[in-house]
Structures are given as structure tokens and as C-alpha cells.
Amino acid sequence: QVQLVESGGGLVQPGGSLRLSCAASGSSFSINLMAWYRQAPGKQRELVASISFNSRTNYADSVKGRFTISRDDVKNMVYLQMNSLNPEDTAVYYCYCNRPGYAYWGQGTQVTVSP
């Protein structure tokens, strides 16, 4: 069993930056992939970025060049550095991880980009 807790969300002005953190507790052995998803009001949940056990990364086209996902296996943490934020980035951001046969989700953290 793995528990995921997100932090770092908040209100930021357009062009600003935020860094989201996700702490994994419980059994973190054999975690294969970690990712960030987001869901804006009235829209489908979408994959923002993912990072594999060997640090291969993947990004949604809408965030390439602006967001960076990273992981710290010593601290059992995954991060999402978000730069050049715009109002279209406003959403609830969810941390996700999987291991063979299992998937885990955090409770989400709100990111609001507004003047």
C-alpha cells in the first residue's frame, strides 16, 4: 500500500512559477512510474508529465518547455516545477504512481493562475 500527499499548490500570477511536491509513504518498493495529472472544471483529467523508474520523462505538448518532472528516490518524492504559468494551467493537480497490478492517487492540490 502506498499513500501519496501533494503540496505546493496555490494562487500565482500569470508568468509566475510554482513547485509541486508529492510525498510517497508506505511500501514504495517496486514503484515503476510516477506522474502528475490535472483536471480543470468541466474538462477531462489529463496526463501532464510522467517519469519512469529509470528517469525517462514524458510531457503533454501543452507544458513542454515550461514544466519539469523529477524524482528523489532517497526521499520518496516526486516534483513538478512549473514555470511561465498561464490561466489555462488552472486545475487540480494529482500525483499518481503505479507498481505491477496497482495504481495510487493523491488527493490533489489546487493551482490557480490569475492576475
Side-chain angles (χ1 to χ4, degrees), residues 74-93:
V74 175
K75 298 180 179 179
N76 293 322
M77 300 281 289
V78 62
Y79 306 95
L80 185 68
Q81 178 66 47
M82 305 185 294
N83 299 326
S84 301
L85 287 162
N86 59 63
E88 289 69 49
D89 297 314
T90 296
V92 177
Y93 284 71

Side-chain angles (χ1 to χ4, degrees), residues 1-7 20-36 51 70-79 94-99 103-107:
Q1 186 176 349
V2 176
Q3 294 82 44
L4 303 175
V5 179
E6 303 97 335
S7 63
L20 304 183
S21 300
C22 175
S25 62
S27 179
S28 60
F29 293 104
S30 299
I31 290 178
N32 190 6
L33 178 141
M34 302 192 75
W36 289 94
I51 184 166
S70 61
R71 64 190 297 167
D72 185 335
D73 291 331
V74 175
K75 298 180 179 179
N76 293 322
M77 300 281 289
V78 62
Y79 306 95
Y94 297 91
C95 185
Y96 165 92
C97 74
N98 66 37
R99 58 184 178 91
Y104 305 93
W105 293 89
Q107 295 298 310

Side-chain angles (χ1 to χ4, degrees), residues 36 47-51 55-70 79-81:
W36 289 94
L47 176 66
V48 177
S50 65
I51 184 166
S55 296
R56 295 179 65 182
T57 58
N58 185 53
Y59 297 93
D61 288 341
S62 60
V63 307
K64 285 182 179 177
R66 300 189 298 121
F67 291 10
T68 303
I69 189 171
S70 61
Y79 306 95
L80 185 68
Q81 178 66 47

